Amino acid sequence: MITKIHVLKRALARREREEVYAAFALSLAGQKAILFHAEPVEVIDRAWKPIAGTGLELVIRAATSDDAYDAWTRHAEDVGAVGTHRVKLTYMQPATEERLAREMESLKDIDLDRLALMDELGDLYDEDVALGLAVPGAF
């Protein structure tokens, strides 16, 4: 059984911050922004076994691969995905004076359950601070 953890204000704040950073980086990159193709190579369940056919493919224009991974994470959260996903980014590395453009790949494991849990724990901590049960900045 899979339980979906609802998105709270901490998750919304995290996503908004990532979107602001990505928009700023994209505005600086301008015409040099890269088209990233993100797809889950495998979706891994709690027993670390691949689950096939998730349909979480995404094509996004971003300034950095981190921004592309963040966009994929937001997309996966929006469609209700859970668990750990091994995501592959495919993109064309821009040409420079020293080298030609070439296709690149990058792999990253993204644990959507851990992100949701950290957002939940952050909200609980904020409530404890508001009630005077925790000391801000103690950790």
Side-chain angles (χ1 to χ4, degrees):
M1 183 173 104
I2 297 174
T3 56
K4 184 172 187 299
I5 300 172
H6 63 286
V7 178
L8 297 173
K9 65 180 185 223
R10 172 86 42 155
L12 295 174
R14 168 179 52 86
R15 293 171 66 162
E16 184 176 309
R17 183 178 63 248
E18 289 169 352
E19 287 171 0
V20 167
Y21 288 155
F24 178 69
L26 196 55
S27 70
L28 289 179
Q31 295 297 320
K32 296 181 182 175
I34 302 168
L35 192 66
F36 290 92
H37 177 211
E39 62 178 307
V41 176
E42 359 181 84
V43 181
I44 305 166
D45 65 10
R46 294 190 191 282
W48 290 92
K49 294 179 184 169
I51 303 169
T54 57
L56 289 172
E57 203 166 304
L58 182 70
V59 177
I60 183 164
R61 189 170 293 281
T64 67
S65 59
D66 286 339
D67 293 341
Y69 280 122
D70 290 342
W72 184 89
T73 303
R74 288 192 303 272
H75 171 64
E77 289 174 336
D78 287 344
V79 298
V82 292
T84 303
H85 300 251
R86 181 162 293 137
V87 180
K88 176 174 74 173
L89 282 185
T90 307
Y91 58 97
M92 286 299 291
Q93 187 178 40
T96 64
E97 292 179 5
E98 294 85 28
R99 61 174 165 67
L100 299 173
R102 61 182 175 173
E103 187 174 58
M104 301 289 290
E105 284 184 357
S106 172
L107 284 172
K108 184 175 184 178
D109 290 338
I110 299 175
D111 188 345
L112 297 172
D113 293 338
R114 185 185 58 79
L115 277 174
L117 178 62
M118 295 307 291
D119 291 335
E120 289 266 358
L121 291 175
D123 283 334
L124 291 174
Y125 176 74
D126 290 345
E127 290 170 10
D128 286 349
V129 169
L131 293 171
L133 302 174
V135 179
F139 296 106

